[in-house]
Amino acid sequence: MANSESLDNVVLELRRGVIVLAVLSQLNGEQYGYSLLKLLSDQGLEVDQGTLYPLLRRLETQGLLESVWKLEEARPRRYYVISTDGKKLLPKLKKEWADIVSVMKKMLA
Amino acid sequence: MKLIDRYVNEVGKRLLVLQGREDIEKELRSTLEDMLEERAEKEGRPADEAMEIELLKEYGSPDAVATTYNPHPYLIGPRVFPLFLKILKIVLLSTAFGMTVVMIIKLVTQTPMMGSDFTEVLGDGLGNILSTVIAASGYVVLIFAIIERTVPDLGLKEEDFKTEDWDPAALAKEPDPDSVNRGELVAEIVFTFIGLAIINEIFYIPVFTDEFRKFVPWINAAFVTEILLDIYLLRKAVWDTGTRIVKIAMEAGTIVIAGIMLYTPNVITFSSKIFENVPEDSSVDIEVVTRFFDVGVSIAFIVVIVVASFELVKAAIGLIRSFTRK
């Protein structure tokens, strides 16, 4: 039991940073929370709602995302899109990710 | 849709955020409605209450959902925790030390070295030390909990704690003469708070006379101004003309109060109550002890005046420099 718990914890930690990168990479176009969740899920990255929605707000507070309310199909939706700061940060994050992957590939080979 | 509305309300009640509550509720509602609609489409029938229940059950309890949004799962977060520990240690040591000194003074002056009086004073004293230390810890926790919630993010920077991952960009910038020392401010808030508790006799130290109590409202005013100014500075992070003028006025007030108290006789006494139980044949010379404390009290006031003058001059120089820079 303890083993599967610590496995879960490690996996959670591993995913946490990746999700930020995934979110920033997918927000070149406007998405609302639920549509982003599905967009990520369609590409194979399952993210919990309880993780994604607060994360979007946090990234907005940090200035990496911008958001705007739009009325659509009689329902208001909050659309998020990457900000100028976010656009500056993204290539750096991508490079970090590529470095990590190449190092870990060698290490785990 | 009724259930979703109630659910969103329940989540809203549990949100601890100061701003953006309505926004979160609105976003949550629109998400849930989207999900319900999608579910109805998938199942090929219109959404009903059973479907709503199923959806909400999957989404999680309002407590769990609110927790994901709540920015402060900590009473005192990792950001201020190192400073909290540092200040807690100082406060605990200094209050324990102070109360021990008070107890020893009582033991020496009030009781014969053994006997029932002695054990009683010792017991009371130890009890007093314990309760004071606990109360002081409570104040420190309270102050830090407030700072945790009122000082904006990125406020207390790592360089205040001298950890490894500070921002090298800070080196490239010229040191800003207007920037405040946050560690100093927090320490000042804590000690002023404890000072307030002492002079208002929440921590009971039996040395204050009615003469002293006449000054208490003035000292309270100075202390409260100090705390408010410090909290404001913590939030603003820089000194400006307004805060410097308030600081100068407050320090000037402190100097005046301390000066008047210095020349008021019997502001603090170690004689009346404390010495009434000294046995006739005691080897303690009351005259000498009283004189000793009188000098000590005068020195304390002089120290206060010197420190306040220093702070005043510092603020004044800052003010003048800020004008000459422009």
Side-chain angles (χ1 to χ4, degrees):
Chain A
M1 286 308 270
N3 258 342
S4 84
E5 233 172 71
S6 47
L7 174 70
D8 286 351
N9 275 337
V10 173
V11 170
L12 204 71
E13 291 291 329
L14 274 177
R15 286 168 53 101
R16 191 165 290 162
V18 177
I19 292 170
V20 175
L21 181 54
V23 165
L24 289 178
S25 74
Q26 298 304 304
L27 284 178
N28 265 321
E30 286 184 345
Q31 298 282 345
Y32 57 95
Y34 191 50
S35 71
L36 177 63
L37 193 82
K38 284 193 287 186
L39 185 66
L40 292 172
S41 152
D42 287 348
Q43 296 174 78
L45 186 69
E46 297 292 343
V47 183
D48 189 52
Q49 294 144 358
T51 307
L52 183 65
Y53 300 147
L55 175 72
L56 289 172
R57 305 187 75 85
R58 209 178 71 226
L59 293 176
E60 192 190 6
T61 320
Q62 290 172 357
L64 301 177
L65 297 181
E66 283 162 2
S67 81
V68 60
W69 280 101
K70 283 186 182 174
L71 194 68
E72 233 180 43
E73 302 164 25
R75 182 173 305 148
R77 281 175 177 148
R78 187 176 193 166
Y79 279 84
Y80 293 91
V81 68
I82 193 164
S83 71
T84 323
D85 279 355
K87 276 180 191 154
K88 274 185 216 155
L89 186 76
L90 187 57
K92 292 178 196 160
L93 279 180
K94 279 184 179 167
K95 177 162 185 322
E96 278 302 320
W97 172 250
D99 290 351
I100 292 171
V101 170
S102 83
V103 167
M104 290 313 291
K105 257 189 184 162
K106 268 185 233 157
M107 207 177 277
L108 299 177
Chain B
M1 292 296 166
K2 260 188 190 159
L3 275 182
I4 287 184
D5 283 340
R6 261 185 243 158
Y7 179 83
V8 169
N9 261 338
E10 288 300 311
V11 173
K13 272 189 229 162
R14 290 164 171 80
L15 291 174
L16 300 176
V17 292
L18 294 173
Q19 288 164 352
R21 179 193 307 263
E22 276 172 27
D23 215 43
I24 291 175
E25 287 180 15
K26 203 165 145 193
E27 193 174 20
L28 182 61
R29 179 174 292 116
S30 102
T31 303
L32 288 169
E33 282 167 6
D34 272 339
M35 291 175 82
L36 189 67
E37 200 175 277
E38 195 191 63
R39 195 169 285 234
E41 251 170 57
K42 218 187 258 172
E43 294 188 18
R45 61 193 172 95
D48 56 16
E49 204 172 274
M51 215 182 273
E52 262 184 87
I53 289 173
E54 204 182 320
L55 169 72
L56 295 179
K57 204 167 176 184
E58 276 171 37
Y59 207 86
S61 75
D63 271 322
V65 175
T67 305
T68 63
Y69 284 101
N70 285 338
H72 293 297
Y74 305 104
L75 179 62
I76 294 165
R79 195 170 51 104
V80 293
F81 191 71
L83 189 61
F84 166 74
L85 271 191
K86 212 187 278 177
I87 293 199
L88 185 66
K89 271 184 214 159
I90 299 171
V91 167
L92 289 190
L93 283 176
S94 52
T95 47
F97 177 77
M99 296 307 285
T100 309
V101 169
V102 170
M103 182 183 71
I104 291 171
I105 293 170
K106 268 180 149 182
L107 282 176
V108 172
T109 55
Q110 224 171 358
T111 65
M113 278 312 278
M114 283 297 152
S116 62
D117 277 357
F118 183 82
T119 44
E120 197 179 305
V121 171
L122 185 67
D124 282 354
L126 291 177
N128 229 344
I129 294 173
L130 187 67
S131 59
T132 311
V133 163
I134 291 170
S137 319
Y139 279 118
V140 178
V141 170
L142 180 69
I143 292 163
F144 271 87
I146 292 170
I147 290 172
E148 174 72 37
R149 279 153 189 74
T150 53
V151 178
D153 277 352
L154 308 171
L156 286 163
K157 283 240 178 82
E158 285 85 352
E159 58 249 37
D160 292 337
F161 310 134
K162 299 188 171 54
T163 51
E164 300 289 325
D165 53 320
W166 53 283
D167 177 14
L171 286 179
K173 282 189 289 184
E174 284 279 304
D176 183 355
D178 290 334
S179 69
V180 300
N181 182 333
R182 288 171 181 276
E184 216 171 75
L185 284 176
V186 174
E188 201 167 76
I189 293 172
V190 173
F191 284 111
T192 312
F193 226 88
I194 292 169
L196 268 179
I198 291 173
I199 66 156
N200 289 288
E201 299 177 70
I202 294 169
F203 295 162
Y204 183 63
I205 303 174
V207 294
F208 297 128
T209 61
D210 287 338
E211 278 302 319
F212 179 85
R213 293 193 184 97
K214 283 181 196 156
F215 290 99
V216 167
W218 298 100
I219 307 174
N220 279 343
F223 279 7
V224 171
T225 311
E226 173 99 62
I227 291 174
L228 292 179
L229 178 68
D230 286 351
I231 291 176
Y232 180 77
L233 282 171
L234 267 184
R235 292 185 65 110
K236 265 208 97 179
V238 287
W239 286 97
D240 57 24
T241 309
T243 46
R244 281 193 170 111
I245 288 171
V246 172
K247 177 84 177 167
I248 290 171
M250 194 204 62
E251 297 296 356
T254 306
I255 294 169
V256 171
I257 296 169
I260 297 173
M261 289 180 84
L262 178 62
Y263 287 105
T264 309
N266 299 324
V267 174
I268 283 177
T269 181
F270 287 88
S271 53
S272 61
K273 257 194 211 162
I274 290 185
F275 294 129
E276 68 194 7
N277 293 338
V278 178
E280 295 280 321
D281 57 346
S282 162
S283 58
V284 179
D285 187 335
I286 297 172
E287 284 279 317
V288 173
V289 176
T290 312
R291 178 102 197 93
F292 178 75
F293 281 120
D294 281 346
V295 172
V297 169
S298 300
I299 291 174
F301 283 129
I302 292 168
V303 169
V304 169
I305 293 172
V306 169
V307 172
S309 308
F310 176 74
E311 290 287 323
L312 190 152
V313 170
K314 210 166 86 177
I317 290 174
L319 190 63
I320 295 162
R321 284 213 181 125
S322 73
F323 283 127
T324 51
R325 269 204 313 277
K326 277 168 200 165

